[in-house]
Amino acid sequence: MSQIAFQDAYPDDFSHCYGCGKNNPMGHQLKSYWDGEETVATFTPNEEHTALPGFVYGGLLASLIDCHGTGSASAAAYKAEGRPLGSEPALRFVTGNLNVDFLAPTPLGVPLQLRGTIREVKEKKVIVDITIYANDKACVKGTVIAVKMPASMLPSA
């Protein structure tokens, strides 16, 4: 795995996301890394993430897929350009489309592992397929179509 989380390489002005922003102490603080050709993140939901007693709220699961997907897209774009993560000019992505399929109830209070596969990298978009596992069982699958933010919107522009 890489030593730095993808989200920690974002410019400070773009690090306030509720799901993964290092500058949002009230958020999830999701951290994504390379694990070979896949991306990986871990998150343990707490009682405030309850849908029904003992199970995770689906909106949280969609949020985790969203943030892991855009972070993975950024890392994949840097990799495709042969550049170090976080180098300038910044490569930052936002969600263009999010699809989530709930396969099984997701238990509360156990570490969830998110594993992402980069399906496609283009100049202005990256497609990432993500599966969330709980106790080694696939509970949720999702796809993120991440769109590159124009350089004019980035703080270094």
Side-chain angles (χ1 to χ4, degrees), residues 17 56 63 65-66 76 95 100 108 118 121-122 125 138 144 151 154:
C17 174
V56 179
S63 169
I65 287 175
D66 182 26
T95 306
V100 179
L108 194 63
I118 308 302
V121 179
K122 300 276 187 170
K125 79 173 184 180
V144 174
L154 296 170

Side-chain angles (χ1 to χ4, degrees), residues 76-129:
Y78 276 107
K79 188 176 188 180
E81 290 189 10
R83 295 174 41 202
L85 192 62
S87 62
E88 296 293 332
L91 298 174
R92 187 68 175 93
F93 287 75
V94 293
T95 306
N97 186 279
L98 173 66
N99 289 299
V100 179
D101 292 316
F102 299 95
L103 309 175
T106 304
L108 194 63
V110 300
L112 305 179
Q113 184 180 71
L114 291 86
R115 297 205 68 85
T117 302
I118 308 302
R119 185 190 321 168
E120 178 180 296
V121 179
K122 300 276 187 170
E123 182 183 344
K124 294 184 180 182
K125 79 173 184 180
V126 176
I127 301 175
V128 184
D129 295 316

Side-chain angles (χ1 to χ4, degrees), residues 11-133:
D12 278 345
D13 288 351
F14 283 81
S15 296
H16 299 282
C17 174
Y18 182 76
C20 62
K22 65 184 175 189
N23 294 330
N24 189 340
M26 299 303 291
H28 303 320
Q29 298 287 314
L30 187 69
K31 304 293 183 196
S32 304
Y33 303 89
W34 284 112
D35 184 15
E37 291 299 310
E38 291 186 315
T39 61
V40 64
T42 303
F43 184 84
T44 303
N46 298 315
E47 289 298 320
E48 65 265 19
H49 302 123
T50 297
L52 298 170
F55 298 99
V56 179
Y57 166 61
L60 169 73
L61 300 167
S63 169
L64 294 173
I65 287 175
D66 182 26
C67 284
H68 186 62
T70 56
S72 296
S74 178
Y78 276 107
K79 188 176 188 180
E81 290 189 10
R83 295 174 41 202
L85 192 62
S87 62
E88 296 293 332
L91 298 174
R92 187 68 175 93
F93 287 75
V94 293
T95 306
N97 186 279
L98 173 66
N99 289 299
V100 179
D101 292 316
F102 299 95
L103 309 175
T106 304
L108 194 63
V110 300
L112 305 179
Q113 184 180 71
L114 291 86
R115 297 205 68 85
T117 302
I118 308 302
R119 185 190 321 168
E120 178 180 296
V121 179
K122 300 276 187 170
E123 182 183 344
K124 294 184 180 182
K125 79 173 184 180
V126 176
I127 301 175
V128 184
D129 295 316
I130 299 161
T131 303
I132 298 178
Y133 297 90

